[in-house]
Structure formats: structure tokens, C-alpha cells
Amino acid sequence: MSGAGRVGGAAADGEGFDGPPPDGAPAGDQPADCVRSDGVIEVVGGDERTIVLTFDDGPNPPDTTDLLDLLAREDVPAVFFLVGERVVEHPDLVARIAADGHVLGNHSWRHEDLGDASPDVVHADLTRTLDAIRAAVPGAPVPYWRAPFGSWGATVDVAAGLGMRSMGWHTAVEDWVPPGVDELVRRMEAVAPGGVILLHDGGGDRSQTVAAVARFVPMMRERGWEFVGPAHA
């Protein structure tokens, strides 16, 4: 969770709001088709007018349910980065996320900062979360990892060893401190072509996020943008 439009650094969740990049371009000096030097994905698909929606910290009823209903109506794919403890509490929602065709991601067992953790500790945490997800949806692919607070440390290499690519974000909208639907939509508009947007369906009341996504999707489609899921390669 960094500030909207932030691309270049590994800023922690909840830090910074840099404002929208000019003319919808990525902030910083990175190329549009962006895998950072540390292996973290922030932009998918280069210069195409595409958007990847991602949601962290769930599953979390009723907001995850409302969001899934909305995404189904709009035929929009997304990536859901799941917290292991929440998966155990709501396996039915995890099963629905997968059944609806969305991508499952690992977001650690209880959203603790793993940036300074040893590889063994990271491996145990990520594996425990993977086991919970696969207990809820046997055989489900979990192709992506996202570090809590954007604190990557050893997690990128450990995740790769477990078959997961690390996905950061181009645009975070700070919806964990709900600023109102209008402001959330404005911040989402900072996304660059191919940009990954960081949102939340868990961690608190996310009704503003659901309402903002409901407004953002048709607005951006009218402007010629497409909502896509990332490739797993």
C-alpha cells in the first residue's frame, strides 16, 4: 500500500501519496513493460490501455461478496491476494473467487512484515498460506505473491522457489483509510497503461472500495480501456 502512482520504490503499505503521474504515464524512469530489478511486477502489457485490478487482505464478507457480484456483472477479472487466516475463516469465498475465474495470490498468513525475516521463516509462512488456499480449492493455481507492506526482503526468491511471481503495484489508492468514493476514483485514474492497481477487499469496511470500482469500470471502458488478468507466465 503505497501512494497512488508510485512505481519505482518498494514503499511500504500505507506510506506516501505521490499523486498521479503526468498524462497517465508511469512515474519514475522504468520502462512501461515493467519487472523491477528485484523481480517485482508493477506493469503488465506494455503500452496497451489495459488495467489489472488487484485486491488484498481478504476474503472479507460482505465486501468480498459484493465485489465478486460486481465483477461478475461487469465481466472483469482480478487478482485476489489472500491472507491465510482469512482463508481458513472463509473457505467458501476463496472457492467462489476461483470459480468465478479470478486469479489467486498469496499475501502471507496474517499480514506480518516479512522484509527482515529469514528465508526459512518466509518459506514456512508462504507454504502455510498456500496449504490453506489449496485446502479451500484443491489443485488451485496460486501464481502470484505480494509482500505485506511492500516489504520484499527474501520473499521474492522464496516465492519464486514455490512457483510464484512477485506482484507489486503501479497505483495504490490508500483505500485502507477510506477517503470517499470520489477521491478513490480520482486516485485510480492515475493508472498507466498496463498498470496494476492495488485495492483492498479486506482489513476493514471496504464498501467505499466496492462503490468506487463500480463507478471506475464503466467510466474507463467508455474511455477505451480494458480490464485484464495478468498472464501466469
Side-chain angles (χ1 to χ4, degrees), residues 55-227:
F55 300 92
D56 285 11
D57 299 356
N60 173 49
D63 297 316
T64 303
T65 304
D66 293 343
L67 183 62
L68 288 170
D69 290 345
L70 164 64
L71 296 175
R73 289 194 303 270
E74 295 287 352
D75 193 23
V76 170
V79 186
F80 285 81
F81 285 95
L82 307 170
V83 173
E85 288 187 330
R86 305 294 291 171
V87 170
V88 172
E89 293 171 357
H90 304 289
D92 54 328
L93 272 179
V94 179
R96 182 179 169 189
I97 291 168
D100 283 3
H102 302 295
V103 177
L104 303 178
N106 186 325
H107 198 41
S108 83
W109 181 253
R110 58 167 58 96
H111 203 277
E112 293 179 333
D113 189 333
L114 296 172
D116 293 327
S118 70
D120 287 345
V121 169
V122 173
H123 188 278
D125 187 289
L126 272 58
T127 300
R128 186 180 185 187
T129 307
L130 284 172
D131 288 346
I133 294 170
R134 288 168 176 156
V137 192
V142 185
Y144 294 105
W145 153 255
R146 175 173 284 160
F149 309 105
S151 188
W152 298 97
T155 71
V156 175
D157 289 340
V158 173
L162 292 170
M164 296 179 290
R165 301 180 72 193
S166 292
M167 180 176 287
W169 53 84
H170 171 274
T171 305
V173 298
E174 296 189 354
D175 59 336
W176 60 92
V177 182
V181 173
D182 289 345
E183 179 62 13
L184 288 175
V185 173
R186 186 193 71 80
R187 294 177 185 181
M188 282 191 279
E189 288 182 272
V191 70
V196 175
I197 296 183
L198 168 62
L199 295 159
H200 296 78
D201 62 319
D205 180 353
R206 298 295 172 236
S207 57
Q208 286 190 18
T209 298
V210 176
V213 172
R215 187 185 304 176
F216 181 68
V217 168
M219 179 184 76
M220 295 302 280
R221 278 180 166 159
E222 287 181 4
R223 297 177 184 178
W225 290 73
E226 181 182 3
F227 291 86

Side-chain angles (χ1 to χ4, degrees), residues 34-36 39-44 144 165-169 196 233:
C34 176
V35 177
R36 289 185 344 205
V40 177
I41 302 164
E42 291 177 337
V43 175
V44 177
Y144 294 105
R165 301 180 72 193
S166 292
M167 180 176 287
W169 53 84
V196 175

Side-chain angles (χ1 to χ4, degrees), residues 29-54:
D29 297 324
Q30 293 179 259
D33 197 359
C34 176
V35 177
R36 289 185 344 205
S37 60
D38 60 1
V40 177
I41 302 164
E42 291 177 337
V43 175
V44 177
D47 295 329
E48 299 297 322
R49 291 171 66 86
T50 57
I51 297 168
V52 178
L53 294 180
T54 68

